[in-house]
Amino acid sequence: MSAKVDAQASFARTVSASCAYVQESSRRPSVLGPGGVFDAEAAETCAVAEVAAALAVSTRTVTEWLFLIRTARPAVAEAFDAGRLAYAAFRTVCRSVDGVPKATEALLQRVIAAASRCTPGAVAAAVDRILAEFDAQWHREARERATRERSATVRKRPRGQAELTIRGPAEQVAAVWRVIVSAARGVCATDPRPLPARLFDAAHAVLAGGAVACDCAGQDCEQRETVARTEATAVIVLDAATAAGLAGEPGHLVGWGPVPADVAQRIAGDATWQAMITAAKVAEPRVGCSCRCPEHEAADAGREVRRTRRMPAGWTPTTWRMDSVRARAVREDTEYLRALPPLSLDRAVENPDGHGGFAVPPAGALTYRRSEAVAALVTALYPTCVHPACAVPSEDCDLDHVVPFDHTDPERGGWTVTGNLTPLCRRHHGLKTRRQWHHRMLRDGIVHVRDSHGTDYFTAPGE
């Protein structure tokens, strides 16, 4: 870890020294314009070219360094200089917090802490989630401005290849991507193409109006001619009060990041609803209630998680709880746990037996394979692999038993319940299975991960 920080700090010194040289050179009267008048802009352009040539980087890169160093908030600049932020994270944070009104020191430190724990590609979504919670109205307006810059570009690549890039609102790109993935995965298991190639073929078919066909050798394959598209499901998490139009809390498009309340309401308004109800939270039927709302349907006896029947578009819950309050409490608890010494973390393990707080195993708890309802709830709670900084979507992960399932005596081992299941991609699942990394479930669904050197990491629901 120290080697990484040292390397990041070393690069930060290079950036700072380069910018200092350019700024100093731009003040020297060595470049004269027409009439012998000093031209500061020409002097800076000359100095930028010198730095770019000396470091074998583009002048555009050096110009970007100058802009970021000049406009970075002091706390963000200090984190970059100290090596806490890699350059890519520093750049993303600077761009993300630019224009945030009344950005407090506490907010900046929270953003820096989140960015320092993310891979470069995950920084933007992590910071966006924090800013949406800090000022929902500003986040909505900033998102509208960014939406006006949506684009589609083509770039030529070597060996007769090309690259198509589209940029726009996350919910629209997510909808296109779900269709592409669904088509790519619809071929049979013997299709020889790797997944990336199938994704390209599916994207081409979707955009060009064609059909995806299986490339397997079987002449009787049902997908040989064309693959039937399966229904793609998007998961959006939002307060019931927001869904009903009575609150303005941002929603969260699982796997993509926060969306403003009005966008979340629009998505929910066009959606077919299906509530997920846990055993501990099932509301008792009201006396004399004749409504058909899912909250008052009788619970399936002994089942931990159940899906209600599907409700039509436009339906909104009749009861709600402001989940943002709980989310803030979980976040504060996570920060508290990060500050604890390793030995004190043992007290935060809520259910070391892996039974999820149940005294009697609910239906399905003693079978290794989880139900679809349990899987849906776990993947909604944890949008990505819970390994530190991993961005693999939870729907593409294995659902791992934190306390291992005992196949010889299921009642003794970890149970197949939401409190003992987390998504892990295949690579990081292997690390846990080989006992190179160790996982524990703490209170509030916070996952504690410890590497082979004893370094502790924490992943909270929704991160």
Side-chain angles (χ1 to χ4, degrees):
M1 183 63 69
S2 60
K4 174 186 174 182
V5 172
D6 290 344
Q8 292 174 172
S10 176
F11 184 76
R13 288 192 293 271
T14 299
V15 172
S16 298
S18 300
C19 293
Y21 174 80
V22 172
Q23 291 172 348
E24 179 64 26
S25 299
S26 65
R27 291 193 290 266
R28 294 176 183 172
S30 57
V31 178
L32 300 179
V37 179
F38 172 63
D39 190 336
E41 183 177 351
E44 180 174 296
T45 301
C46 180
V48 166
E50 293 174 10
V51 171
L55 297 179
V57 298
S58 67
T59 55
R60 185 175 181 177
T61 296
V62 180
T63 302
E64 181 183 75
W65 292 352
L66 276 171
F67 175 78
L68 294 177
I69 292 297
R70 288 169 175 171
T71 59
R73 309 246 182 175
V76 179
E78 289 174 7
F80 177 56
D81 291 338
R84 292 176 60 197
L85 291 177
Y87 176 73
F90 170 65
R91 177 179 57 198
T92 301
V93 169
C94 287
R95 292 173 175 172
S96 297
V97 302
D98 181 42
V100 177
K102 301 178 182 178
T104 62
E105 183 67 18
L107 172 69
L108 294 176
Q109 291 301 330
R110 185 180 164 202
V111 166
I112 291 167
S116 66
R117 294 192 295 268
C118 292
T119 57
V123 172
V127 174
D128 215 26
R129 185 164 55 245
I130 294 171
L131 297 181
E133 181 183 312
F134 177 74
D135 190 334
Q137 177 64 20
W138 174 86
H139 177 261
R140 185 182 65 79
E141 294 172 354
R143 192 177 189 276
E144 289 176 352
R145 290 193 297 270
T147 298
R148 289 194 288 270
E149 299 175 0
R150 60 192 182 277
S151 63
T153 58
V154 173
R155 182 181 180 185
K156 294 180 180 179
R157 307 294 292 178
R159 292 176 287 280
Q161 306 300 300
E163 185 177 87
L164 172 66
T165 303
I166 61 172
R167 189 183 74 171
E171 69 277 5
Q172 295 182 18
V173 174
V176 174
W177 183 244
R178 286 194 299 272
V179 174
I180 293 172
V181 171
S182 175
R185 290 179 172 170
V187 299
C188 73
T190 59
D191 188 291
R193 294 169 295 177
L195 180 59
R198 282 186 278 131
L199 287 170
F200 173 84
D201 293 344
H204 179 267
V206 169
L207 296 175
V212 183
C214 187
D215 271 3
C216 68
Q219 296 300 319
D220 57 347
C221 176
E222 295 180 357
Q223 288 84 27
R224 184 76 177 170
E225 299 298 329
T226 182
V227 175
R229 294 182 185 175
T230 58
E231 179 183 355
T233 302
V235 179
I236 186 166
V237 179
L238 71 162
D239 288 330
T242 298
L246 302 176
E249 294 290 329
H252 183 82
L253 189 61
V254 173
W256 293 85
V259 291
D262 56 341
V263 176
Q265 289 163 357
R266 186 170 67 249
I267 296 173
D270 293 337
T272 298
W273 287 76
Q274 191 172 42
M276 305 292 296
I277 301 179
T278 60
K281 299 178 183 178
V282 172
E284 293 294 331
R286 294 183 300 186
V287 176
C289 177
S290 60
C291 70
R292 290 177 51 78
C293 48
E295 297 100 313
H296 301 142
E297 291 180 350
D300 293 343
R303 185 173 299 180
E304 184 203 2
V305 180
R306 68 183 183 91
R307 286 173 163 168
T308 68
R309 60 187 174 83
R310 292 183 181 272
M311 302 299 290
W315 175 83
T316 52
T318 58
T319 60
W320 56 75
R321 179 172 58 86
M322 293 298 289
D323 283 337
S324 58
V325 175
R326 182 177 181 275
R328 281 192 286 271
V330 172
R331 187 190 71 240
E332 292 168 359
D333 197 20
T334 305
E335 295 304 322
Y336 169 75
L337 293 171
R338 286 193 175 105
L340 289 179
L343 293 178
S344 299
L345 289 173
D346 293 339
R347 295 195 298 270
V349 179
E350 194 165 49
N351 298 294
D353 55 6
H355 295 175
F358 289 96
V360 177
L366 302 184
T367 58
Y368 182 73
R369 185 171 179 79
R370 73 289 180 278
S371 68
E372 290 186 5
V374 169
L377 183 56
V378 173
T379 53
L381 288 172
Y382 303 98
T384 63
C385 169
V386 297
H387 187 89
C390 183
V392 175
S394 56
E395 61 184 11
D396 295 329
C397 293
D398 301 329
L399 291 189
D400 172 69
H401 291 76
V402 179
V403 176
F405 186 86
D406 191 332
H407 292 272
T408 59
D409 187 357
E411 193 165 352
R412 183 181 63 181
W415 292 351
T416 306
V417 293
T418 56
N420 191 47
L421 293 173
T422 57
L424 279 174
C425 69
R426 191 58 55 87
R427 177 187 297 272
H428 296 135
H429 193 175
L431 291 176
K432 177 179 179 291
T433 300
R434 294 190 296 270
R435 300 177 183 265
Q436 294 171 294
W437 288 60
H438 303 277
H439 291 223
R440 294 192 296 182
M441 182 69 76
L442 307 184
R443 57 180 179 246
D444 295 323
I446 300 169
V447 182
H448 170 220
V449 184
R450 179 171 290 169
D451 69 10
S452 55
H453 299 286
T455 305
D456 294 315
Y457 302 90
F458 301 88
T459 300
E463 287 191 347

